[in-house]
């Protein structure tokens, strides 16, 4: 099992023919299955990586490009934070971009520019994982899958690194700017703004940041999970969907991040619990519930345990039903743990899991790569001028 990029790896194995028989169940925490930023189209990746290679002095006209790249110092393949900072400053103040920004690439460059390529090989990826799963081309094993209630919150400020003209803390204008950059199609930008109206999040502190972070959560994590649980359930497999929704107390009050990306990991592994207990009530109890459910799934292929389950894993808590196409239930990991159901049109703040309306929209998006050196005309939209 894995979390975040580790969740992407789990997804890879679930649809890789070469992984057949190598595992009997899988846990995927805050992963993705369908966004081209992370599972990259072959044509896009060839164009992007050739651009990177040319910058490194190994253009595709080189007689032996691979040997040339192998001779390059490994440090030059890493994008340091200082370079990200330079690009952020260039984006926000409309300065020339650093020379290492490629002409073409993923719109999440430079934060997360690399990923597995769909190369249509048995050793690689035969297609987009979500599409392979929908066609039945996946490992038929029990699956525990989920995301955090506020998985997008720590990524939202990084839009300032990626999207030219994005202002943080976010404003209504900068939310539009970010959507322009990531979606590119004006019609889809307008639809996204209608699905996530400013008024829906008006009650939240830092409402525009919450608004955009929900977009990120839904695009990358939650709606992707919805796409994956459906074919697993349709195949009659045990699939368990969750949302990490624990109250982090004063930590959330200070950081305004909610149940942010990776915040569940100490509770799974029972690490740093004394420190977390200083700021959040029920930390040990929540960790006992979560770690026991993960251990039960590893042993029994169900989070509810079995007669031959692991020792000390019979922690009393609510029963975790499997996701089915009729009940569409998920497990809310909070105190006390409870269950919820996917809804057709629920809205913030009652959107622990996003609505079908929103996920249906994101399921249709392609998230195209584009020219990274093209700056949209955002000067007239900014709340201040240079």
């Amino acid at each position: 099992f894995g979390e975040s990029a580790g969740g992407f790896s789990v997804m890879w194995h679930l649809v890789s023919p070469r992984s057949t028989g190598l595992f009997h169940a899988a846990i995927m925490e805050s992963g993705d299955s369908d966004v081209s930023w992370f599972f990259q189209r072959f044509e896009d990746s060839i164009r992007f990586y050739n651009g990177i290679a040319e910058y490194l002095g190994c253009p595709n006209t080189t007689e032996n490009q691979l040997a040339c790249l192998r001779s390059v110092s490994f440090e030059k393949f890493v994008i340091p934070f200082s370079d990200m900072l330079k690009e952020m400053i260039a984006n926000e103040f409309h300065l020339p971009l650093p020379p290492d920004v490629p002409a073409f690439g993923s719109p999440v460059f430079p934060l997360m520019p690399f990923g597995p390529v769909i190369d249509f090989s048995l050793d690689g990826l035969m297609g987009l994982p979500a599409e392979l799963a929908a066609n039945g081309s996946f490992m038929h094993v029990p699956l525990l899958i989920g995301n955090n209630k506020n998985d997008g919150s720590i990524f939202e400020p990084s839009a300032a690194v990626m999207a030219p003209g994005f202002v943080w803390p976010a404003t209504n204008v900068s939310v539009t700017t970010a959507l322009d950059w990531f979606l590119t199609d004006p019609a889809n930008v307008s639809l996204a703004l209608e699905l996530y109206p400013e008024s829906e999040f008006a009650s939240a502190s830092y409402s525009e940041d919450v608004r955009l972070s929900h977009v990120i959560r839904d695009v990358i994590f939650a709606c992707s999970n919805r796409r994956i649980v459906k074919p697993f359930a349709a195949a009659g497999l045990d699939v368990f969907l969750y949302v990490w929704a624990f109250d982090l107390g004063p930590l959330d009050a200070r950081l305004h991040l909610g149940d942010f990306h990776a915040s569940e990991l100490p509770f799974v592994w029972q690490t740093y619990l004394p420190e977390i207990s200083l700021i959040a009530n029920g930390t040990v109890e929540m960790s006992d519930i979560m770690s026991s459910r993960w251990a039960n799934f590893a042993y029994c292929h169900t989070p509810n345990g079995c007669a031959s389950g692991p020792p000390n894993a019979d922690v009393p808590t609510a029963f975790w039903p499997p996701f089915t196409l009729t009940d569409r239930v998920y497990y809310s990991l909070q105190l006390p743990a409870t269950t919820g159901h996917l809804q057709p049109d629920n809205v913030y703040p009652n959107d622990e899991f996003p609505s079908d309306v929103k996920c249906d929209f994101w399921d249709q998006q392609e998230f195209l790569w584009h020219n990274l050196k093209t700056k949209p005309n955002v000067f007239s939209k900014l709340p201040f001028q240079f």
Side-chain angles (χ1 to χ4, degrees):
F1 52 88
E3 186 268 347
S4 193
F8 300 170
S9 298
V10 171
M11 189 70 252
W12 171 295
H13 286 294
L14 284 169
V15 297
S16 171
R18 297 296 195 208
S19 296
T20 302
L22 298 182
F23 57 95
H24 301 289
I27 298 177
M28 183 171 159
E29 301 176 38
S30 299
D32 181 74
S33 66
D34 58 2
V35 178
S36 65
W37 308 332
F38 310 116
F39 295 100
Q40 301 177 352
R41 294 179 179 87
F42 184 77
E43 296 81 3
D44 290 343
S45 63
I46 291 295
R47 186 175 173 186
F48 169 68
Y49 292 112
N50 271 332
I52 295 292
E54 184 171 356
Y55 177 78
L56 294 173
C58 301
N60 60 354
T61 55
T62 303
E63 183 175 348
N64 194 335
Q65 187 183 40
L66 183 59
C68 176
L69 287 169
R70 285 173 172 165
S71 70
V72 175
S73 172
F74 76 90
E75 292 95 340
K76 293 186 177 180
F77 287 91
V78 179
I79 302 175
F81 178 76
S82 59
D83 284 5
M84 295 186 190
L85 185 61
K86 291 175 186 176
E87 185 169 347
M88 180 179 69
I89 294 170
N91 282 336
E92 184 153 345
F93 293 100
H94 307 281
L95 301 173
L97 289 169
D100 58 343
V101 175
F104 177 84
S106 161
V108 296
F109 183 94
L111 193 66
M112 296 174 283
F114 310 120
V117 176
I118 300 171
D119 60 357
F120 307 104
S121 75
L122 291 175
D123 295 314
L125 278 174
M126 296 294 291
L128 191 68
E131 294 175 355
L132 293 172
N135 293 329
S137 300
F138 63 92
M139 303 299 109
H140 284 54
V141 297
L143 175 66
L144 192 155
I145 183 172
N147 60 272
N148 296 0
K149 182 179 176 181
N150 306 101
D151 245 332
S153 60
I154 64 169
F155 298 107
E156 183 263 343
S158 65
V161 181
M162 299 175 283
F166 180 84
V167 177
W168 189 83
T171 65
N172 181 37
V173 170
S174 54
V175 169
T176 303
T177 299
L179 290 171
D180 280 338
W181 183 250
F182 296 121
L183 289 179
T184 67
D185 183 347
N188 286 331
V189 172
S190 296
L191 288 171
L193 291 170
E194 290 176 14
L195 283 172
Y196 295 82
E198 189 176 13
S199 59
E200 180 180 337
F201 301 92
S203 63
S205 300
Y206 301 95
S207 59
E208 295 299 329
D209 294 299
V210 172
R211 182 185 179 198
L212 184 56
S213 70
H214 273 60
V215 170
I216 296 169
R217 176 200 69 174
D218 299 351
V219 167
I220 300 176
F221 306 108
C223 295
S224 167
N225 289 341
R226 193 191 72 146
R227 290 188 74 177
I228 293 302
V229 296
K230 289 194 288 186
F232 272 76
L237 298 167
D238 286 335
V239 54
F240 301 90
L241 180 64
Y242 76 86
V243 173
W244 166 248
F246 180 64
D247 183 2
L248 290 171
L251 180 64
D252 179 36
R254 178 170 291 275
L255 298 180
H256 300 284
L257 293 175
D259 290 294
F260 57 90
H261 189 70
S263 63
E264 87 285 6
L265 290 178
F267 294 81
V268 173
W269 300 109
Q270 297 197 334
T271 54
Y272 305 108
L273 297 186
E275 292 82 359
I276 299 173
S277 294
L278 296 174
I279 55 174
N281 295 325
T283 295
V284 173
E285 183 181 356
M286 186 74 256
S287 181
D288 285 345
I289 291 172
M290 198 165 188
S291 60
S292 67
R293 293 300 167 262
W294 263 234
N296 279 334
F297 187 81
Y299 271 76
C300 309
H301 301 167
T302 169
N304 299 302
C306 58
S308 59
N312 305 316
D314 54 345
V315 177
T317 189
F319 179 77
W320 187 336
F323 178 93
T324 67
L325 296 178
T326 52
D327 290 341
R328 304 202 312 154
V329 67
Y330 70 88
Y331 201 65
S332 180
L333 286 160
Q334 56 178 291
L335 289 179
T338 186
T339 56
H341 296 268
L342 274 58
Q343 301 293 325
D345 55 4
N346 53 305
V347 297
Y348 180 86
N350 301 312
D351 67 339
E352 197 168 73
F353 201 97
S355 69
D356 290 334
V357 173
K358 289 173 178 170
C359 284
D360 288 346
F361 171 75
W362 294 122
D363 287 353
Q364 302 303 314
Q365 301 309 305
E366 291 190 272
F367 305 104
L368 300 176
W369 292 24
H370 54 76
N371 187 340
L372 300 182
K373 293 184 181 292
T374 300
K375 292 178 177 289
N377 182 19
V378 297
F379 286 96
S380 62
K381 301 179 182 178
L382 294 176
F384 48 87
Q385 297 293 318
F386 297 102

